[in-house]
Every structure is written in C-alpha cells, then in structure tokens.
Amino acid sequence: MQKHSDHQRHADTGLPLLSLIIIGLLFFGSYLAVERLTPSALPSLGIALGFLGAYILTAALFYLFFRLKARKERNEQSTYETLNTKMHNMFKYHVDLPYVITDDLGRIRATNTALQELIGAKNPFYRGTLADLCDGVTLQDILTAASRREEQKKTVSKLTAEAISNAKADENAEVPTEHTLAELEDGTLVTLPDGGRYIARSYPVQLNEKINYLVTFTDVTELSQLKEKTDRDMPAIAYIDVDNLEELTQYTRVNYRDASRKVDDVLIRWAANMNGLLREYERDRYLLLFSQEKLRECEEDKFSELLDGIRGIRLGEYSIPVTVSVGVALEDSSMAERAQNAASALDMALQRGGDQVAVRRKDGIRYYGGQTRPFQRRTKVQSRVVANYLLSKISEAENLLIMGHKNPDFDSIGSCLGIAQLGLFAGVPTKIIMDMNNANFKIATERLSHSRTYSDMFISGHKGLDLIHPGTLLIIADANNFAIIEEPDVAKNVKQVSGKIAIIDHHRQTGEYDFEPVMNYIDPSASSAGELVTEMLEQTDTGTDAENSKLVSDEVASVILSGIVLDTGNFTRNTGSRTLDAARYLFGKGANAEYVHSFFNEDYADYVCERSFSGCALLQNNTVGMTWSHGTGRGADDRVAAAKEADKLLNVKGVHASFALIVVGDAVHISGRSDGTVNVQLILERLGGGGRFDSAGAALSGVSLENARNALRDAVDGYFADLEEKNS
C-alpha cells in the first residue's frame, strides 16, 4: 500500500513536467515552420534556442520543486505514522487522546485525528508552534514545569523518607502519609482554541536520531470549572470585634442597647450584601461566614463599607466614632484551622490599634483601615491578669534577660528597668542587655550606677549570649520588630535554646512572628511602654510587706517617668487617664520631676545639630511640615535631634503632622509626629517604617536626601489620596 502510494505521487509529479516539455517542443516546431515560410519576420535561430533552453530550465526547476515537496510530504507522513504507532503503544487505552508532535523548538509537525476534530483542522499537519495552539504556553514552559515537579517529588520523597525514619526512632513523631506526593500538580494547564481547559503533558520520542516531543492534552474543563466554583464559594471565616462600644457607653450619656442596635444594623446590612452568615457569639463579638468571591470584592473596596459604616456611628456630645476590628482567614485548610487563623488575624488587627481588617492568606497578612486613633481598652483587671501571668513566667525561669531597641531612648531604658523590678521581686537572676555607651543610657543610669543592685545588671549583647540556658526567659520591651532590637542574635539563640520570649510594647505590630511568644502584650493605645510596665508594677506592688514597698525605688521611678514624659511630649499628646494614673503611681514612689527634667537638657553639640535643619517645606495645604538636615556625623545623637526637631515643627500653627529627615551614615532617617489627626504610622509604613498613630519612624538606606524627600512627599500624597477616595 505504501509503495503504491509513492508510485502514485511520483506519477502525479512527473505528469506536469512531461506536459511542459511537449508544449515547449510544439512551440519550437511551430517556430521552425513559420521561420521557413517568413524568415525575415522572426528572430534568429540562436535566440530561439536560447528561449527554448530557458524554458526547459524553468520546467526542470518546477520538476525539482514538485519532487522535493513530494519527498517532504512522504517524510512527514512517515514520521506521523511512526510516531502515531508509538503513541498507540504508549497509550493503548487512550487512543482518542488529543496530541501533537513537535520538534525540540516547539514547532508542530503533526496532530492526531482527535485534536484535528477538536480544533477544526482538515489535515494532520498544523502549520504553527505549540504556543500558537496553546494560547501562549510554549514547549519550554511545559518542560520546565515538568522538571520542577520532578525535583519537588524527589524532595518530598526524601523528606518523607527522613520523617518515616525519625518516626521509627521516636514513637511520638508524626508519620507522613503517601498522599503528599499526589498533591503535587501533574502537567501544565493550557487553553486550546475551542476554549476548553486541558492538562498538557510532554513525552520525549526519538526519531531518526533526533528528539521530538509528543504533547498530550487531557480535558479538564469541567473539573477546572468545578474547582473555580469551589474556590469562589470557599467560605472565608471572619471574627468581628467592636473595639470601643462598651467603653464609650461608660463615659458618654448613651444607652448601650441603642448603640449596640445601631452596630447590629450596620453589620447585618453588610453581611446581607455579601450573602454571608452572621452570628453574635459573645457580647460585641461576631462570627461571619462568606464566600471568597465576596471577600475579593471587599478587598477591592478596602472594606470601606464596613469600616466607614461602623465609624459613622458617633456617640456622645463629642461625637466619638465607634470602630471595629476584623480578622479574616481564607486558606486551603480545615475549618478548625481556618477559624484559628482568623482569630490570630483579629489579634494582629487589635495589636495594630484596631479600626482595621486583617486578612490572612497563604502569602501573608494584608491590612485595611487603621485610620482612627486607638482607643484605650485596658482595665485594671486586665493589667492585673497580665502582671500575674508575667510574674509567674519569670518565677519559673532560671534567669531573666531583658532588652529594648537599638539606640535606646528613655522609654526603652525605663521600661526595661521596670521589668527588671519584677525579676528582682521574683528572686530570679536578672540582666538587662543595653548599649552602655549610649548617651541616653549614661544620663538615665548615672545615679543607679552607684547602687550595688544595678552596677552589674547592665551587660552587653556578647555577654548575654553566654547566659542563655534552656530555662532562660527573654523579655523585649518597647519594640516588637526583631530587626531593631538591641541584640537580635540573643533573641535568635533564645528561640532555639528555650523558646521563651515575651514582648511588651505600645507600637503597632507590623508583622507575624515565626514562633509562639510566651506573652505578646501590645497595646497601641498606651502612651509608652513605661505606662504598660508601670501598671504591671502597680498591680504587683500590694504594699502588704516591706519587700513590696521597695519594689520600685525613687531612682527607678524617675527613669520610668522620663520615658512617659518623652513619648507624651511632657503630657501634651497621647495622654489619657491611664497615663496620668501611671505618673501618679511613679510620683508616689519617689519620682523627681526636676531630676527627670534634667534628662532633657541638651548639650552644645545637640544644639548645633538641631540648628543644622536648614531646609523646611509645608505640604498638603500647609498641614504637613517637613524639615531636613545633612547631619553632623554623630550617629544616634543625630537621630535624637531629628525626633526633637519633628516635635518642634508640630508646634507650628496649622501643622497636624511633621517629619524630620537627617542623614546618618549611608541612610536617611525620618522621624514623624502627629497631633492625632494624621496617622504618621501609615505614612511611614509606605517607606518600610512603622511605629504608632502619632509617632513613627523609618530609615531609607542607599538613597540621597533629595530622593528621600521625594519619597516622603509621595507617601504623604498617597495617604491623603486614600483618605479623599474613602470620603468620596
């Protein structure tokens, strides 16, 4: 049959050539006859022979072209039939599976009948590449994905084998299941011209000492649509916590039931718009189930319908807004794990100050909102519980290490000293890791250095590494970002050796931890870390015996008070009743206001540095101030000068937020301050910084002062643009 086909093709190819030769000879014979009859009317015989030669050459070229074309078709047909046979042998039970044959560059050489019917082709030879057929997906894409999956399978197999080996040695170890390998996606999802979704798989096939690829297509259109529908309808879990309703009704002339009913109306209306299921499981706390599709819509809207709707409820004669915090989780896990992750996201939203939504996905947590100033939610009961819990953990420890942030200010030093009093009270060996060359440290501990109790309490980070044991407890004060703590290596080693770390801070938490803290006490509504620590000391200091009465000495009380004075601008900002209660307690313990005031006396070098802030500009209709300096090369002291300059700029009439930029080494440091109407923390978060609603900072490495100013302008403009968008 094959020989007959080849003979037929040869005959078909030779027939046009024979016809052309006969026609040429007839024309030449006619020429000779006419030339004999009228010799003077025609060209010479030489010219005629030339035309005849050209004609024969053209005919020969046509003949060669048709022969080569026929040979190519025979080769293609032979390749197609050979690979088709191999295809049938490889997929005996799936002979109707659509497939293509490509070379190593992805050029399609042939298709089978199933694919021809699928794409409406009339012959097996598709003129194009795999990318043309598969909507941009190339052969290299498929091969790369297959190679990556093989590596993943090898890795998972190795890890599984190691886990099984460990499980044999440890009876309590968890034995992995075999379905782990099956969870790896097999094949590459592509779209064919019929609009269907297919899994493409490649198989190398050798032919004529060349590698070709056979690419099969498995129809998964219905499965893909089902998966998309499942993902779209996958229930997201949200925990909703009304931040300040109960506290507001205590201090305003508002009926709690009426206010709660207004909140319910907003939540019910919002849940109904998303076709969600809303249930109140505790007073002012709700559980909401809604689809992933609706969650995407909420994220596109930045949850403004919910946050603005609740914030629109204002109570009392001062129209104080009600706010909510929401934690949402949407992960491919069990409902129990999803609920746990939603609760964790809610904690993150609360620790960042409330009035915001935290959405946890596989790639991390995203935050929406956070436009209002945090409302104080602490109570004496909560402070007592936290103090007792922390004291119990300190008592269980073999030794206690305490540290604050790098370049410590008075609040960091004071809060560390306050926690050290709890360690001394519990009788646990206590050390504070601190930069003892820091100017603030020298000022704050000048009197304490003469005390036997404190003369050897402060140590360097290197000595702290030698004091880490399985029973060591590390407490970090006035910081929750591990990149800026005094000695990150100490924290890293404590995580590995004992795993016992507690955090006490008043800055908004900017990210999650890769470990579970013993205690994570973060309250952005507090004026300072010193305020939080003072409340713990007050709850511990019962005054029932002589030992308790000496829990806080007058020198320690003065240092803690200096931190509160620093962070409140001498009680002019972010000062609430609890702040004043903390100050009252410290004054009762012997804090000396004149001594504290001496901490803030600046030397001549500080004065010169502050005078170096020669540049100044006003932004956003003169409501945001910005000043800058090239610095004096004094490192940490220059940063302190920037903070002071930001405080001074905030006193300018009409300025609601201020920023001071100063060059320190190869970085530009920014200090931000606010009178409470502008969230400087959100502004500096855009530049990789953080902090609190009215006090924040950032550092831009490797940029010029001019570029840093431009970046800050963009961040300020972006913040106010978002506000305008929300208001509109």
Side-chain angles (χ1 to χ4, degrees):
M1 183 68 182
Q2 178 66 32
K3 291 182 179 180
H4 174 73
S5 177
D6 291 345
H7 176 74
Q8 181 66 34
R9 284 197 183 121
H10 180 73
D12 292 342
T13 305
L15 181 60
L17 178 63
L18 181 60
S19 301
L20 291 172
I21 293 175
I22 293 173
I23 293 172
L25 292 174
L26 288 174
F27 271 109
F28 185 69
S30 300
Y31 171 84
L32 292 177
V34 174
E35 194 270 338
R36 287 181 179 277
L37 296 174
T38 57
S40 61
L42 295 174
S44 66
L45 179 61
I47 296 175
L49 289 174
F51 277 114
L52 178 61
Y55 181 85
I56 293 174
L57 178 62
T58 303
L61 291 176
F62 270 107
Y63 172 75
L64 181 62
F65 170 76
F66 283 117
R67 285 297 301 271
L68 291 176
K69 181 179 179 182
R71 180 180 297 178
K72 181 179 179 182
E73 290 178 353
R74 288 197 302 272
N75 290 339
E76 288 180 344
Q77 183 66 25
S78 176
T79 300
Y80 173 71
E81 292 174 354
T82 302
L83 291 180
N84 195 36
T85 301
K86 291 188 176 184
M87 173 64 181
H88 280 258
N89 292 334
M90 294 173 64
F91 302 96
K92 293 180 181 180
Y93 305 104
H94 300 280
V95 294
D96 60 340
L97 194 67
Y99 69 86
V100 299
I101 300 167
T102 76
D103 60 12
D104 57 350
L105 297 178
R107 293 175 296 200
I108 297 176
R109 304 184 63 180
T111 63
N112 72 335
T113 304
L115 186 62
Q116 294 167 35
E117 294 176 354
L118 192 67
I119 64 177
K122 296 181 179 180
N123 60 69
F125 305 111
Y126 180 91
R127 302 302 177 188
T129 65
L130 192 65
D132 299 331
L133 181 68
C134 299
D135 195 22
V137 178
T138 65
L139 175 66
Q140 190 60 41
D141 294 335
I142 297 175
L143 295 177
T144 302
S147 175
R148 185 166 54 248
R149 282 191 297 274
E150 288 301 321
E151 291 297 325
Q152 289 175 335
K153 289 180 180 180
K154 291 179 182 178
T155 302
V156 172
S157 298
K158 181 179 178 181
L159 295 176
T160 303
E162 292 178 354
I164 293 175
S165 177
N166 295 335
K168 292 179 179 178
D170 184 2
E171 296 180 356
N172 297 323
E174 182 180 354
V175 181
T177 58
E178 293 297 329
H179 76 277
T180 307
L181 289 175
E183 291 177 353
L184 295 174
E185 181 183 305
D186 184 20
T188 303
L189 190 64
V190 300
T191 302
L192 293 185
D194 68 331
R197 309 295 296 277
Y198 297 82
I199 292 293
R201 299 180 179 89
S202 61
Y203 305 90
V205 179
Q206 187 169 1
L207 181 66
N208 298 331
E209 299 182 354
K210 290 185 178 181
I211 295 296
N212 291 267
Y213 289 93
L214 190 148
V215 182
T216 64
F217 301 97
T218 304
D219 190 355
V220 292
T221 303
E222 293 184 1
L223 182 61
S224 177
Q225 292 173 347
L226 179 61
K227 184 179 183 301
E228 290 176 357
K229 185 178 185 304
T230 302
D231 292 341
R232 194 167 53 247
D233 296 338
M234 179 188 295
I237 296 180
Y239 283 112
I240 304 172
D241 189 354
V242 183
D243 293 332
N244 54 357
L245 181 59
E246 186 172 356
E247 289 83 355
L248 284 175
T249 54
Q250 290 179 356
Y251 302 107
T252 58
R253 296 179 181 179
V254 176
N255 183 279
Y256 174 82
R257 290 186 177 180
D258 293 339
S260 179
R261 191 179 301 112
K262 293 179 181 179
V263 173
D264 285 343
D265 290 342
V266 174
L267 290 175
I268 292 172
R269 185 167 57 252
W270 180 63
N273 291 339
M274 295 190 300
N275 299 322
L277 175 65
L278 179 69
R279 290 292 183 270
E280 184 176 13
Y281 65 92
E282 195 176 317
R283 184 171 179 175
D284 296 335
R285 295 183 176 180
Y286 302 80
L287 172 67
L288 175 67
L289 301 178
F290 60 110
S291 68
Q292 179 179 191
E293 184 179 20
K294 293 297 183 181
L295 175 59
R296 290 197 191 99
E297 294 178 4
C298 290
E299 288 186 293
E300 290 175 0
D301 187 44
K302 299 181 180 180
F303 287 88
S304 60
E305 181 181 353
L306 171 65
L307 296 175
D308 294 344
I310 296 295
R311 205 180 294 126
I313 303 174
R314 296 179 173 270
L315 305 178
E317 56 182 334
Y318 297 106
S319 296
I320 302 176
V322 180
T323 60
V324 294
S325 296
V326 184
V328 184
L330 181 64
E331 296 178 341
D332 190 10
S333 58
S334 66
M335 291 294 287
E337 292 174 336
R338 210 173 301 166
Q340 183 178 358
N341 291 334
S344 174
L346 175 61
D347 290 339
M348 289 292 297
L350 291 171
Q351 289 164 7
R352 286 171 54 88
D355 185 32
Q356 59 192 282
V357 180
V359 180
R360 180 192 291 274
R361 292 183 178 271
K362 289 182 180 180
D363 57 350
I365 294 185
R366 303 169 189 170
Y367 299 98
Y368 304 91
Q371 300 291 341
T372 59
R373 194 170 182 171
F375 189 88
Q376 287 190 349
R377 301 186 58 174
R378 300 189 315 282
T379 64
K380 290 188 178 296
V381 174
Q382 181 185 12
S383 299
R384 186 180 304 115
V385 170
V386 171
N388 291 338
Y389 179 77
L390 183 61
L391 191 61
S392 67
K393 292 300 179 182
I394 293 175
S395 301
E396 295 171 0
E398 293 181 11
N399 65 316
L400 174 63
L401 298 178
I402 308 168
M403 74 168 75
H405 54 74
K406 294 178 181 178
N407 305 310
D409 55 15
F410 295 138
D411 188 36
S412 179
I413 299 168
S415 56
C416 287
L417 270 173
I419 296 171
Q421 308 313 300
L422 296 176
L424 296 175
F425 177 74
V428 176
T430 301
K431 298 293 182 181
I432 300 176
I433 299 174
M434 190 76 65
D435 178 9
M436 290 176 283
N437 294 321
N438 180 268
N440 291 330
F441 171 80
K442 293 178 180 179
I443 294 173
T445 60
E446 181 181 3
R447 292 186 181 181
L448 291 174
S449 60
H450 303 296
S451 169
R452 179 178 301 178
T453 303
Y454 300 100
S455 59
D456 62 347
M457 178 177 287
F458 298 97
I459 61 173
S460 66
H462 295 293
K463 291 184 178 180
L465 291 171
D466 298 331
L467 299 177
I468 299 175
H469 308 292
T472 298
L473 172 63
L474 171 65
I475 300 180
I476 298 173
D478 199 32
N480 63 74
N481 183 351
F482 279 64
I484 65 169
I485 60 177
E486 182 64 51
E487 192 59 51
D489 288 341
V490 171
K492 180 180 179 180
N493 280 270
V494 170
K495 281 192 293 185
Q496 295 175 347
V497 176
S498 70
K500 300 176 181 177
I501 300 179
I503 301 166
I504 302 171
D505 192 19
H506 67 117
H507 299 100
R508 288 176 28 154
Q509 187 170 338
T510 56
E512 292 185 283
Y513 310 124
D514 58 357
F515 67 99
E516 186 66 30
V518 171
M519 186 180 77
N520 190 32
Y521 186 35
I522 298 178
D523 187 353
S525 68
S527 68
S528 56
E531 178 183 324
L532 297 175
V533 173
T534 300
E535 290 186 339
M536 295 183 193
L537 293 172
E538 185 177 9
Q539 295 303 321
T540 306
D541 189 359
T542 59
T544 56
D545 51 46
E547 186 178 7
N548 268 4
S549 64
K550 297 179 181 179
L551 179 63
V552 182
S553 66
D554 52 356
E555 290 87 359
V556 171
S558 295
V559 177
I560 298 175
L561 180 62
S562 70
I564 299 177
V565 170
L566 173 68
D567 280 9
T568 60
N570 202 16
F571 301 101
T572 59
R573 65 171 187 271
N574 199 32
T575 302
S577 60
R578 305 195 68 81
T579 311
L580 298 176
D581 286 343
R584 176 195 54 77
Y585 171 79
L586 294 173
F587 278 120
K589 288 298 176 180
N592 188 310
E594 294 181 359
Y595 177 51
V596 170
H597 180 71
S598 68
F599 288 8
F600 299 92
N601 293 337
E602 61 182 10
D603 56 24
Y604 180 74
D606 292 332
Y607 175 77
V608 171
C609 183
E610 291 182 31
R611 297 269 295 182
S612 70
F613 284 85
S614 56
C616 188
L618 293 177
L619 314 174
Q620 292 294 324
N621 297 323
N622 300 332
T623 61
V624 177
M626 178 173 63
T627 183
W628 55 87
S629 167
H630 288 279
T632 60
R634 297 191 308 144
D637 293 334
D638 280 359
R639 285 192 290 269
V640 173
K644 293 180 180 179
E645 199 65 21
D647 287 330
K648 290 181 180 179
L649 185 56
L650 191 62
N651 294 326
V652 174
K653 188 175 181 180
V655 172
H656 301 300
S658 61
F659 298 92
L661 301 86
I662 192 167
V663 178
V664 180
D666 63 345
V668 178
H669 287 258
I670 306 175
S671 291
R673 296 293 184 268
S674 167
D675 62 0
T677 59
V678 176
N679 193 333
V680 293
Q681 192 267 342
L682 286 183
I683 293 175
L684 292 184
E685 266 191 358
R686 296 170 180 260
L687 302 178
R692 303 176 60 254
F693 190 98
D694 56 359
S695 178
L700 306 181
S701 300
V703 301
S704 65
L705 182 59
E706 181 179 359
N707 289 338
R709 292 203 309 267
N710 293 334
L712 179 59
R713 287 176 185 270
D714 293 340
V716 171
D717 292 341
Y719 169 81
F720 281 94
D722 288 346
L723 287 182
E724 291 178 4
E725 183 179 350
K726 282 182 173 294
N727 294 332
S728 61

